[in-house]
Amino acid sequence: MSGKSTATDATRRLAAIDLGSNSFHLLVANYQDSQLQVVAKMGEKVQLAAGLDDQENFTDAAMDRALACLERFAPFVAGVAAADLRIVGTNALRSARNARALIDRAEALIGHPIEIIGGREEARLIYLGAAHALAEVHGRRLIVDIGGGSTEFIIGEDFEPQALESLHMGCVAYTGAFFASGELSEKRFRRAEMAALSELANIQRQYCRLGWQDPIGSSGTIKAVAAVLGARGDGDATLIERDALMKLRKRLIGFGQLEKVAMEGLKEDRARVFPAGVAILCAVFEAFDLQRMRYSDGALREGVLFDLIGRNTPEDSRRHSVELLMRRYSVEASHADHVMETAMVAFDQVSESWALGEEQRLFLIWAAQLHEIGLAISHSQFHRHGAYLIEYSDLTGFSRPEQQALAFLVRAHRRKFAHKELEALPSAIQPTYCRLARLLRLAVMLNHPRPEQAPVDFQLACKGDDLHLSLPEISFQALLLNDLEQEAEYQKAAGLTLTYDV
């Protein structure tokens, strides 16, 4: 993914914030001539995963640490355009029961939406960052990224991942599970390794069958292991040999207590979670029979930046996900295209008044293309089935909030207006997606008879949230008039106004 810039393009300022389970990371870069030039790079140990109580809620202290870190990050992204900034949350924010409370406060502080990404999407973005850092290296790679709450495994070649997985094991989570008392012993270390091996058994055979030439590690734990081995003379800070890793394991057990762990090359704020991370890495070496692993600096935050570059272009991975869904569920492409064409005419007529931009246009296009995928399950309630498929599928390029928003549009395209689903969306986007749903409903209604050509000869005007539809007299048929009357009633029941010329 190199982008489409030329030498004449203006410099574009991009920024990514990765809200990890152990650390938060900020990366700001200028993009020009298909190159990224780093402007600012910061990382702080926030340890969100360590701040989960017995009910899987973030403690007040954990929230305070997160918000204080974001307050320090905020000045670095203050001048970045909204479309060029992306803030993503990973495992801890995926799993905490009160994550929404933290997200709401964080969004208010930094003035930008926060997106929770699924595990496989996290893995894809990690691969994208690592692949760009290793652009000169060819052949199939295994990428391993040990985080605070999850570990991602990717096999890919060039910039294309071929297998993506996120397993529920991380250095913060395993510290709490196996080293909570602070004791370091062979027994506790092996228990952590066996737990990791149990997780790895789910992917071991598939990954070994695919194979790789180059095992690569990224992010904090593996970077720390390489640094400690390099400081001791057991590596060059970019290479981890199996024998050296086993010696490091023995040294860690020899400390006896977590609080005594101190090594040259190991940062003090990582020391407590370091043994658990090493246990996971030892299990990875054992499961995949690795003899060595190289460290690469590219990771999630770099992947987010490169993904931003491709967004809203033909290279947008979300477009490919939509196309894949259409093929998988045998969508009638000609009808989907007609609905999309009608929706775009409606969109263009009200977009300025309703402050709808390019991102909203894309979601309306995708919703029009996918509005009938639920028919693959059943004609009855197919809008509900379609919404379920979209919300719970692994869709490359989409964050969880984006999938939820797209699922809402598909759910809301017919019958009674989907108030419950609308209210489940982040409050900041509810008015916009309510408007998009109304445009989609009109496009679907106007194409109800499945005409040979999309209806585009109409006028749509808005005054606030009131819509008025004007159709040429030739368009009026008994079916269309009935549909219009019914749609006006549906919208009235939802507190909305739709009028039309008869």
Side-chain angles (χ1 to χ4, degrees), residues 26 112 126 265 309:
L26 163 76
H112 191 83
I126 288 167
I309 292 165

Side-chain angles (χ1 to χ4, degrees), residues 10 32 45 100 111 118 128 154 292 323 389:
Q32 188 176 30
K45 298 290 184 296
R100 188 72 248 170
L128 193 58
I154 313 98
R292 64 186 57 84
E323 292 166 2
L389 290 172

Side-chain angles (χ1 to χ4, degrees), residues 29 161 185 203-204 259 264 282 289 318 393 458 492:
S185 64
I203 66 170
Q204 185 176 9
E259 64 186 24
E264 188 180 356
C282 287
D289 194 25
R318 296 174 299 176
S393 295
F458 61 87
K492 181 179 180 182

Side-chain angles (χ1 to χ4, degrees), residues 229 240-249 285 291:
L229 295 180
I240 300 170
E241 298 278 1
R242 185 168 189 157
D243 288 346
L245 179 62
M246 294 304 106
K247 291 177 183 177
L248 174 60
R249 178 187 187 276
F285 268 69
Q291 298 306 311

